[in-house]
Amino acid sequence: MSLLEFARGPAIHAALIIMVAGFALRLLGVLVLTRGADMSRPRDAFGNFKGYRTVFSRAWPAGEFTTTTRYQTVVAYVFHIALLLVIVGIVPHIEFIQSLTGLSWPAMPNFLGVALGTIALASLFALIFRRLAKPAIYNSTVGDYVAWVVVALPLLTGLMAFAHVGLRYETMLALHILSSALLFAYMPFSKLMHAFWFIFSRAQSGLAYAHKGVRI
Amino acid sequence: MPSEPTLGGLLHSQGVSRRAFLKFCSTTASLMALPAGIAPAMAEALASARRPSVIWLSFQECTGCTEALTRSHAPTIENLLFNFVSLDYHHTLQAAAGDAAERALEEAMHANKGKYLVLVDGSIPLMEYCSTVAGHSNKESLEHVCADAAAVINIGTCSAYGGIPMAKPNPTNAVATGDIIKDKPIVNVPGCPPMPLAITGVIAQYLTMGKLPELDHLGRPVAFFGENIHDRCYRRPFYDRGEFAETFDDEGARKGWCLYKLGCKAPIAYNACAHVKWNNGVSFPIQSGHGCIGCSEPRFWDMGGVYDSVAKGNFGDGAKLGAAAIAGAAAGASAAYLARRKKTEIAEGAHGDE
Ligand code: SF4
Ligand code: SF4
């Protein structure tokens, strides 16, 4: 079995199984839990509504922090948007998604995919440089760095495979698939789970604050 | 079998001009990355080359490789060169049959001990009763004939890597020549079928320079298998622009767009198809509108569906993913439920204490 056969076969299959099971496990494992019973009367009659509003309002830093957090806000936005577009926008990815789900949609031209992939990778570097430069702000854990590497690898190998640089194409493609498999399997059990949690955690804190009448 | 003792004599008797022959030599030399100036010397050496003894063993195969080599439309220098070798044993092509054929084999082996070439097409079943010739299993014949050979040249993907007989579920437990023969130089000329020029190129180099060509990590001559078909494909600009045919008769297909989405495996296939082409340079599969199936690569038949693109996973259906989602959900929900119950119990216990 060649590296590519291993990657396209058992490796990605196992990773997807772990990812799907992991997402279901973690989502239900948390969402089925009860919240502590609340004995107090809400301070704000529109508390619930305002709580859900936080899901969106927290997508941007509060006014007081605009200047101090501008760098990471902008770079993180650029990173997330570029990454998302590359994931769902280039032909090989759509082909892969279609083989799993049957769904497909028009792709972007390849040069755009390369440009966005490069932007995503560059912004990922911009973020890690800041993290390294300001340890006091980030108070990083090992998990933060592992997550960074696990996200950066598929981007790097994907770009290299596309551009035919580095090893032979089939090897680069295999490394790209293997690194994506690592990302898939790692996602549910790491901070990358924020892809789901951000909705619930924002709503939860919004609800709690609104309940107490905190201005949000 | 031709009666001329030298290749020059044979070509002359077949009306091949010196000019055409020189052209063949320079094409072969340039393809094999030999220095340009070598063509006349190569022509010289080839023209006076004596016929090497060749024993062709056919195992689990479809004869397509022999067909590709011998049934070209017009007699080409490639197949003349092939005719020139002293093909002492070949099931399909030899006149002799039965005991006489087997005797010819033994005589050739004896007379050319240590000097003959063994050309193999077809894979070898390890369930030995699955394929036998003259009462000998393929494995026995291979081991017997290769024992005194100078070198082994695998013609086609089946002998090189197992090919279609070895594809899942591999009912005969087929293997490649190299899985059995370990002590002889082996050259793989894979393809289903292999390119005739690649077969004769290897033989021509052996005749002129007395050595086998430089090989890649899969045992293939770099000269013919060193380049990625996708890198040499004339449809590549469409690929780069993201213009793909979606079906075999849509507008994209008519406009000659890239066949990636229709399962073209060329991005992971190495062969000379895109630049040497087939049928005397007339065309090659991608030019005729069908994606490459990657026939020169090991296990190409198990690389996912012929019409599934390279990007797709190759692990059957998603049934296990569905099961994983259900199992994960059940585990998560029950863990949370247990935690809830425990919380209630503790709360009740606390109330009870009051
Ligand atoms: S048709 Fe095949 S080889 Fe040609 S550019 Fe498209 S994917 Fe590559
Ligand atoms: S184009 Fe691909 S499948 Fe077709 S003969 Fe060439 S290598 Fe084999």
Side-chain angles (χ1 to χ4, degrees):
Chain A
M1 187 180 279
S2 71
L3 196 62
L4 182 59
E5 289 169 273
F6 173 69
R8 288 178 68 206
I12 195 76
H13 195 195
L16 287 170
I17 289 174
I18 296 173
M19 181 184 81
V20 169
F23 281 156
L25 175 83
R26 297 221 50 212
L27 280 171
L28 280 155
V30 171
L31 297 180
V32 173
L33 286 173
T34 48
R35 274 180 272 131
D38 195 338
M39 309 302 181
S40 64
R41 196 156 28 85
R43 292 284 185 92
D44 186 334
F46 295 104
N48 276 355
F49 165 72
K50 285 196 175 159
Y52 294 130
R53 207 182 56 185
T54 355
V55 175
F56 303 97
S57 64
R58 287 278 164 101
W60 205 253
E64 304 88 301
F65 303 117
T66 312
T67 339
T68 40
T69 60
R70 184 175 289 140
Y71 181 86
Q72 67 263 46
T73 307
V74 172
V75 180
Y77 259 95
V78 168
F79 166 72
H80 280 89
I81 292 168
L83 183 70
L84 198 73
L85 288 175
V86 170
I87 291 174
V88 300
I90 67 169
V91 172
H93 294 171
I94 299 175
E95 287 284 291
F96 181 75
I97 297 169
Q98 194 214 2
S99 70
L100 287 176
T101 63
L103 306 171
S104 81
W105 48 87
M108 62 171 88
N110 283 345
F111 76 89
L112 209 60
V114 175
L116 286 167
T118 314
I119 291 172
L121 189 60
S123 52
L124 204 53
F125 272 99
L127 288 169
I128 197 75
F129 287 148
R130 183 178 159 91
R131 182 182 283 279
L132 290 168
K134 299 193 186 300
I137 294 184
Y138 287 94
N139 204 7
S140 307
T141 63
V142 176
D144 293 325
Y145 293 111
V146 174
W148 186 90
V149 172
V150 168
V151 173
L153 281 179
L155 268 171
L156 182 69
T157 50
L159 282 167
M160 286 174 72
F162 184 84
H164 282 231
V165 292
L167 306 164
R168 284 156 78 99
Y169 178 77
E170 66 275 23
T171 314
M172 282 318 305
L173 180 63
L175 292 177
H176 177 60
I177 298 175
L178 286 173
S179 57
S180 311
L182 180 66
L183 172 64
F184 291 163
Y186 183 66
M187 232 179 132
F189 309 103
S190 64
K191 66 184 274 188
L192 300 176
M193 191 66 188
H194 76 266
F196 291 94
W197 286 153
F198 84 98
I199 301 176
F200 302 108
S201 60
R202 278 183 200 169
Q204 178 62 28
S205 33
L207 276 174
Y209 287 135
H211 193 85
K212 294 176 185 161
V214 178
R215 186 181 66 85
I216 41 170
Chain B
M1 228 169 282
S3 52
E4 305 292 335
T6 62
L7 178 63
L10 172 72
L11 294 176
H12 187 70
S13 74
Q14 300 287 322
V16 176
S17 70
R18 180 164 166 78
R19 191 184 154 85
F21 184 51
L22 268 174
K23 192 168 160 234
F24 164 80
C25 290
S26 56
T27 312
T28 309
S30 79
L31 267 168
M32 307 214 47
L34 302 173
I38 207 167
M42 187 176 190
E44 199 67 33
L46 268 182
S48 56
R50 297 260 145 195
R51 303 157 54 176
S53 169
V54 167
I55 295 174
W56 183 306
L57 298 176
S58 296
F59 299 136
Q60 295 191 122
E61 45 84 43
C62 68
T63 313
C65 296
T66 303
E67 293 283 337
L69 187 58
T70 56
R71 301 289 167 118
S72 345
H73 189 61
T76 58
I77 296 184
E78 282 94 307
N79 70 29
L80 283 176
L81 177 69
F82 182 68
N83 285 346
F84 168 70
V85 301
S86 173
L87 194 53
D88 292 321
Y89 183 78
H90 187 303
H91 296 166
T92 318
L93 302 177
Q94 75 195 138
D99 286 343
E102 296 309 305
R103 226 176 304 120
L105 170 66
E106 293 300 328
E107 277 165 18
M109 282 174 61
H110 189 69
N112 304 292
K113 196 170 171 182
K115 289 190 295 225
Y116 58 87
L117 291 175
V118 180
L119 271 54
V120 185
D121 67 340
S123 64
I124 302 99
L126 291 182
M127 289 174 168
E128 296 189 35
Y129 58 87
C130 289
S131 174
T132 61
V133 175
H136 300 291
S137 74
N138 291 169
K139 183 163 173 284
E140 280 168 17
S141 312
L142 181 70
E143 283 165 341
H144 174 61
V145 174
C146 288
D148 290 324
V152 180
I153 302 176
N154 286 322
I155 306 295
T157 303
C158 296
S159 55
Y161 309 128
I164 291 181
M166 201 187 80
K168 284 175 198 147
N170 192 0
T172 66
N173 210 350
V175 297
T177 303
D179 293 323
I180 294 174
I181 303 301
K182 303 279 185 195
D183 57 349
K184 295 284 168 190
I186 296 183
V187 178
N188 291 330
V189 186
C192 194
M195 305 204 74
L197 189 63
I199 304 175
T200 49
V202 173
I203 299 176
Q205 176 160 1
Y206 185 72
L207 289 182
T208 46
M209 329 234 327
K211 63 179 175 104
L212 294 167
E214 186 199 344
L215 306 178
D216 72 359
H217 68 293
L218 293 169
R220 306 176 289 199
V222 177
F224 295 99
F225 298 90
E227 281 193 87
N228 184 260
I229 299 174
H230 176 65
D231 282 344
R232 294 295 297 258
C233 178
Y234 75 102
R235 296 192 190 222
R236 182 61 180 269
F238 297 111
Y239 173 90
D240 289 335
R241 282 203 295 272
E243 292 174 330
F244 301 96
E246 305 279 341
T247 66
F248 284 106
D249 58 358
D250 68 356
E251 165 135 17
R254 276 193 291 277
K255 285 186 175 158
W257 288 358
C258 169
L259 302 165
Y260 181 85
K261 282 188 167 184
L262 291 170
C264 184
K265 304 287 186 299
I268 53 171
Y270 293 75
N271 204 342
C273 302
H275 49 296
V276 173
K277 301 195 182 175
W278 289 80
N279 299 329
N280 292 332
V282 171
S283 178
F284 75 113
I286 293 169
Q287 192 173 346
S288 334
H290 194 287
C292 164
I293 61 172
C295 71
S296 55
E297 300 300 312
R299 298 172 298 280
F300 76 100
W301 203 249
D302 292 325
M303 281 199 290
V306 165
Y307 301 106
D308 286 339
S309 64
V310 182
K312 293 189 174 174
N314 184 18
F315 50 78
D317 62 16
K320 289 206 178 115
L321 299 186
I326 295 169
S334 22
Y337 178 73
L338 287 178
R340 258 169 101 149
R341 220 173 59 186
K342 200 160 168 204
K343 201 167 154 188
T344 330
E345 276 169 21
I346 292 170
E348 276 166 4
H351 286 303
D353 288 347
E354 276 166 16

